Amino acid sequence: MTRGQSSQQQRTAKNPLVLGSFDQTSLRLLTGTLGPLNQVVGRSDTNQYSNGGHGNGAMNHWFQINLLTPAWIIICKGGPRPNYIQVSAYDINHNPIEGRMIFQADSLAATNENGGVFYPYVGHVMHSGSDLYNNFDPSRFDKGNSLYFAFEPGSYLLCISSTRNERLDYNIGVVVEVVSNDVFMLTEDTAGGFLLFEPTQDNLILMDTGPGYDGNVYHDHSVTEWKAAWQRERSPNDPLPEIFIPFTNRP
């Protein structure tokens, strides 16, 4: 255990393992084993009241993340059998999180310029019956999913659960990615990546995004930034685990 003396078997939603308090981008790799055990527990006497029996193991592992600044919490599932591992998130600041269904590949078709049929919302949450959500825009990273937003400062729970009555190992990558006010512009030099524009010491504005710009809407994941965040808290020779790489979308 890295913090506290309680094992995950003894932890609940009221006593989670705190991963830390974050005001900058940080990555964690959680590993463990879920499932029941057949072990002798308690006292084995029969002459008085006894708690003896067989049991042990845990079906849920609880973790807490404290955000000191607005940030996204990104969960990456890995391990030998990730389909049997469920990860649930809870906002313990008493702010409601409304769950929604996720679009599958056989719903809400669209037609491209060549007449081909495609499904723009696959993997995205469904709308709420209003015109405020999911106005499809192929140029946006979130494809117009307006529910793609950062969490406000506060405390959030993660519950890693097994859906099988057997022992299962898990690897869960957790990315706490803080909201950045930096502005990026993609140039024709694709190998060069992005150019960052900032105000100068003379308070000259090099690029004005306009009053309607919202950094939460255009959200990219830089593999360079994630590697720097990973190595900042570890040895410089400790590589970024492969579990995170598929979730990055720019250098």
Side-chain angles (χ1 to χ4, degrees), residues 34-170:
L34 295 167
L37 289 173
N38 186 21
Q39 297 178 337
V40 177
V41 295
R43 297 177 295 177
S44 60
D45 63 90
T46 57
N47 295 326
Q48 56 181 321
Y49 177 78
S50 174
N51 293 322
H54 290 75
N56 258 339
M59 302 299 290
N60 304 294
H61 285 178
W62 292 89
F63 302 90
Q64 179 175 325
I65 296 174
N66 299 323
L67 299 182
L68 304 179
T69 186
W72 290 274
I73 299 177
I74 303 169
I75 305 300
C76 318
K77 287 203 302 183
R81 304 170 75 183
N83 290 340
Y84 296 142
I85 299 297
Q86 176 177 299
V87 181
S88 304
Y90 302 89
D91 184 344
I92 58 178
N93 309 299
H94 303 291
N95 297 322
I97 298 178
E98 184 177 352
R100 301 185 189 278
M101 300 298 292
I102 298 176
F103 281 108
Q104 305 298 318
D106 58 351
S107 58
L108 198 60
T111 304
N112 58 25
E113 296 178 353
N114 299 323
V117 177
F118 68 107
Y119 302 93
Y121 291 114
V122 172
H124 290 270
V125 295
M126 294 185 179
H127 63 76
S128 64
S130 70
D131 61 356
L132 302 178
Y133 300 99
N134 292 342
N135 298 311
F136 180 68
D137 183 351
S139 65
R140 286 175 33 159
F141 175 76
D142 62 1
K143 301 297 188 296
N145 183 353
S146 300
L147 295 180
Y148 188 79
F149 59 90
F151 288 117
E152 293 299 321
S155 297
Y156 300 86
L157 286 180
L158 293 179
C159 180
I160 303 175
S161 307
S162 171
T163 61
R164 304 276 292 184
N165 191 30
E166 60 181 306
R167 302 289 285 175
L168 289 175
D169 296 328
Y170 67 81

Side-chain angles (χ1 to χ4, degrees), residues 24-28 72-76 141 148 173-178 219-234 238-251:
Q24 58 183 339
T25 298
S26 183
L27 289 80
R28 298 287 188 273
W72 290 274
I73 299 177
I74 303 169
I75 305 300
C76 318
F141 175 76
Y148 188 79
V174 178
V175 183
V176 177
E177 191 170 52
V178 301
H219 181 202
D220 292 327
H221 311 292
S222 167
V223 65
T224 301
E225 294 177 1
W226 284 19
K227 286 181 178 179
W230 176 265
Q231 294 178 347
R232 183 180 63 245
E233 300 170 334
R234 297 166 183 84
D238 191 1
L240 180 69
E242 289 295 325
I243 189 175
F244 296 105
I245 301 300
F247 290 82
T248 60
N249 66 335
R250 70 175 177 87

